[in-house]
Structures are given as C-alpha cells and as structure tokens.
Amino acid sequence: MKMIVGVGEMNIVVCVKEIPDPEMPASVFSIDPEKRRAVLPAGRKMVISDYDERAVEAVLRIKDTQECRVTALSMGGSSAIEVLRHCLSMGCDDAVLLSDPLFLDSDSFVTASVLAAAINKIGHVDLVTCGVEEGEWDEGQVGAGIAELLKVPCVTAVADIKISGDRVVMNRVVEDGREVVEVPLPALATVGSEIGEPRYSSVRKIREAMRKEIRVWSSDDITPPKQRNEMLALFIPARREVACEFFEGETAEEKAVKLAEALRAAKLI
Amino acid sequence: MERKGILIVGEFNGSRMSSLTAELLGIGRTLADVRRGELAAVFIGSWIDHMVALQAIAAGADKVYLMDASIFREYLADTYLAALKGLVNEIQPEVLLLGHSSMGKDLAPRLAFSLGTGLTTDCIDLSFDAATGLLRKTKPVYGGNACATYVCYGGYPQMATIRAKVFLPRPPDVSRKGEVIPWQPRISGEESRVKIIKRVKEDLPGIKLEEANVVICGGRGIGGPEGFKKLDELAQILRGAVGGTRIASDKKWVPSACQIGLTGKLVSPSLYIGLAVSGASQHLAGIAGNTVVAAVNKDPAANIFSRARYGIVDDYQKVLPALIEKCRQLCSG
C-alpha cells in the first residue's frame, strides 16, 4: 500500500463477504455435516454480512465529504456478485470478485492473505475497511490479519472514521467506553454496528449497479497460501430441552400476576 | 527446540486480575496437567501490583511473567504485540491462550498472523486431540446456530481466544507455589503507530449488566426509548439491570454497552426477563446456559419461547404495568 494523499483522490477498499441470511429463524437452520457448511433453505438468499455493510457505510460517509474512489472487494462464489452489486448500488465506484475453486472453504489465514494480495494488486490504497467480524464463522480476525500482512496500522471496532490530511481519526468501542485514536494513512479499520444503520440504495443506483462491470480475479492472479486451521467437524449442539410453562388468563394483567407469583415461588425474585 | 507449556495472556484492573483471566488459568491448568507441563501467565502494564501475580499463582499458574514498563501504561496493539512476540519466541509455548475481550479480540489475530500460526477465536471448548496431539478448538459459528471444531496443522503455538463465563476458574489456593519473573521485553522503544487522543469511560449508572442477578431485556417490539423507561422501573424493583437486543442498540434505545448477544455482552443472571424479544440465535447466545428465562411476546411462534422456562403470549405493553405492580407488592414485603 503506498500513500498518495494530497495527490488527487483517496483510494479506499472495503472488504465484504456473503453469508447465509442471518435473519432466518433457528427452526429452518440446518447444516451439511459432510460439506461442513450451512444448508441454505429454499427461498433464502446469501446476503452481505451485516458488519461488512456497515464498513461500506463508513467509507461512503467519507466519500460524502471528499473525493475518493471506493472499491468493494469480495472473495466468494458467483453469488458474491450480488453482494458486490449491492455495494455498487450503495455508492461504491468499483468492485472486484476473487473467485476460484482454490479459494473455497478458506480459513481466516488464507482469506486474509488473498484479500491482502488483491489490495496490493489494486495498488495505491490509503484506507481499507471491513466488518469487525463476518456472520458465518464469527472469527473476527480477517481485518487484523490483512493489516498485519500489509504492515499497516489497524484499528478495530470503530464507530466513526474522519480523515484529516494524511491521518485518520477514529472512535473505537472498548469494554468500558470509547477511545479516540489517530493513525497515519495508509491504515485499516474494522467497523462495528455502533457506526449506525447503512444507507438505502435508490432505484436509479440499483439500475446503474446492474450495468457496471465487476472484475474477477482467480488463482491465476493470486496464489493462496497453505491453510493453517482445518475444520474437523461442524455440528448443531444438543439443545437443552426447556419446557416452557405458558400462563393463561382472561386478561394480560391476569397473566402478569401469575408470572410474578411463579417467579416468586421459584425464588427468582 | 521442543515446544512445551501453556502460556496465557492475563488482564487486570488495578490490583485485581480479571475474572476472564481466572477462567483462562482454569482451562490452562487443565491442559497443562494433561501434558504434565507448566502453565505460565504474562501480564503487561506499568507499575503492575504484585498482588496480580499472586492471584494468578493461586488460580493455577506455575510461572508469572511481568512485563512492566512505562510504554505499557495503556494498551496499544503495536507495543503489546512486539513485547508478546518476543516472549513467545523466547519461551516457545505449545499453546497460547487469550481472553475474547476487547484486548484479546484486537491483539490475538495480529499476534497469530505475525507468528504465522492459526488462531481460533471465541472458543467454548478446548482439549488435546488423542490422535494428533494438536489442540481441538470448538467455537460457536453461524451466530450461535452451530458449533465448529478446528485444529491447527500449520503452525505453532496452537492459539485460541476463549469466551467469558464458559470455562471454570479453580478455587484460589493461596498455598500454591509459583515463580514471578520480571521480564524485560527487547523492544527498542517501538513507537506505536496508533495514538490514543482521548479515552471516554461510559460509566453506566446502576448495577452492571454482566454482574446483575436479574436482567430485563427489551427487543424490537419495545418500539422506542420511552418503552425502555418502563423496563428501568421493573429493573429497579427487582434490583436488576436493563439490556437490549442488537436492534434496540442499533436504534439507540439503549446504549451500545447494554447490547446482549454474541457481539455484545454475555450475561449470566439467575433470571432473564425478555420483553418483545424475538430470540435470534445470536442474542440467545449471550445468555448463560443456567439462566432461567421468562418471556413476553405477542407471537406464540417467537424463538425465545424455545429457550424460555416461563412464557406469556400477549402484548408486552399490557403485561408490563401489571407485572411491575405485582413485583412491587411481592418484593416490598
């Protein structure tokens, strides 16, 4: 990553991932233990990971205030194209898909390495963002991994990003409050939900996004390294059977009184 | 060089070791005993109270490394990373564990990439694989809907971060003997690229959510910040704390520090009362296994009822005033 701040526009890359719709109820969630993946039920889609969508929002807020070029980058199957189109419709300028059978079922180490190589290939990048974690394997290590591989400073769980010359000031969420930190560019930030809700795409933007070209890079362009972690098993843990006692009554008030009495009898209140 | 021993990265506040560190030492001791090996802990900071080291020994550590220097006064990833990497390269542990805390989440991935090894985060079970001798690391995936078990073939140390309140700490044994080793990290005044300009503590009034014995939680159906005021009223009567789901936190009906779930706070009260909470897996994953759940929701098919011990199918707005009244009456006597 080379810094070219002050020379024309800023270049930002936002890494996004497709995941099975996390809003689907637990009752329809199932897995294929052989393939070690979730089975997508009929009628459910792969969608952009929630935090990644907020990472897109975070950089578009920068783009709202100053000139910059935002590239959305995703590693995934052909369905990741939809996720990239969604990023374009939100306001990203470019999109690159990293798709290859060799990239499938990558661990965090391989994923971060391939994304870092792609960012190097994109060239002069000032800022990289991604979600604090993706909603599939919930690892939360790809962002920090990319930063480590690119040897740029990394700020995790940010709630706000402001560019100020060749530096960036961020609000970071920690256990007992917040930190305001400053880092020189180029840098990487992982974005949490505290940044607020992502913007909606207009119909016009959605139409424009459909016509934009999405570059596809494969293992011809980037050689993935060897995996570090291997998944031995994927399973649904045995649920403790909890029989729910429902309180009935003529009125809501009556039910409430019964609940309070039951909690008292069980010494819970 | 043969890799041996378990190393955990401890955290502390003033003169107290954190509860998550006691849990790290609990599972670390178990793993070290399987190997008949040593358990070491490292604490990084400035003017570290010796009490912290003694607490770690009482909780199971054989050795405690203290990295005490003014540059470690506050947590900065660059300096902590350089210091830890030096120690790991020197003592070559077989297993390296951190807590899945603010610091652990920030530091562990960078440490793993920097050491070229594989990390598994947010683990809820750790054991040695009988066949390969490698560390089996199990963690929730898909927002808590499933679990996956990993091993790292490709590097050392075997690394994991552990989820809070899952592993049991050992009861402190003050008669345990251990060695306290002041450790001078060989870092040449490494400048952190990240500068902290300001720290804002968000001290929320009342009982801390993680420590409360009763938690009242509101979800999407509460509809706004006004609704949460009623929840506060119930919490006061029951001497509990109020939390919210991710939606409630996103919409700023509750402070983000009060979000319960996989990506927010993990709570372990005796009683959790969920009002207008649908019960998404990622939310339920934030409630400890032995907590009794009571739920009020209009929708009889709401997922929360699959976790609840007590349920009311009705509008929370109609239930809550009567619940407050009855609880006030029961708890005042």
Side-chain angles (χ1 to χ4, degrees), chain A residues 80-97:
Chain A
I81 292 256
E82 297 304 312
V83 166
L84 287 172
R85 291 222 186 275
H86 175 70
C87 296
L88 290 170
S89 74
M90 281 176 77
C92 294
D93 303 291
D94 283 310
V96 177
L97 174 68

Side-chain angles (χ1 to χ4, degrees), chain B residues 244-268:
Chain B
T245 60
R246 187 155 91 196
I247 300 279
S249 148
D250 274 0
K251 295 196 179 292
K252 307 211 187 306
W253 300 342
V254 292
S256 57
C258 293
Q259 184 202 320
I260 297 170
L262 199 59
T263 52
K265 291 275 158 68
L266 305 174
V267 296
S268 54

Side-chain angles (χ1 to χ4, degrees), chain B residues 175-196:
Chain B
S175 68
R176 276 195 90 253
K177 295 273 180 285
E179 195 183 348
V180 181
I181 307 166
W183 188 269
Q184 279 304 326
R186 270 177 238 137
I187 53 172
S188 46
E190 225 141 316
E191 274 281 301
S192 171
R193 295 167 293 182
V194 179
K195 298 244 181 318
I196 298 178

Side-chain angles (χ1 to χ4, degrees), chain A residues 97-123:
Chain A
L97 174 68
L98 305 169
S99 194
D100 194 286
L102 283 177
F103 299 162
L104 285 179
D105 298 322
S106 293
D107 70 349
S108 301
F109 193 87
V110 174
T111 305
S113 303
V114 172
L115 289 169
I119 292 163
N120 269 332
K121 197 171 152 65
I122 289 169

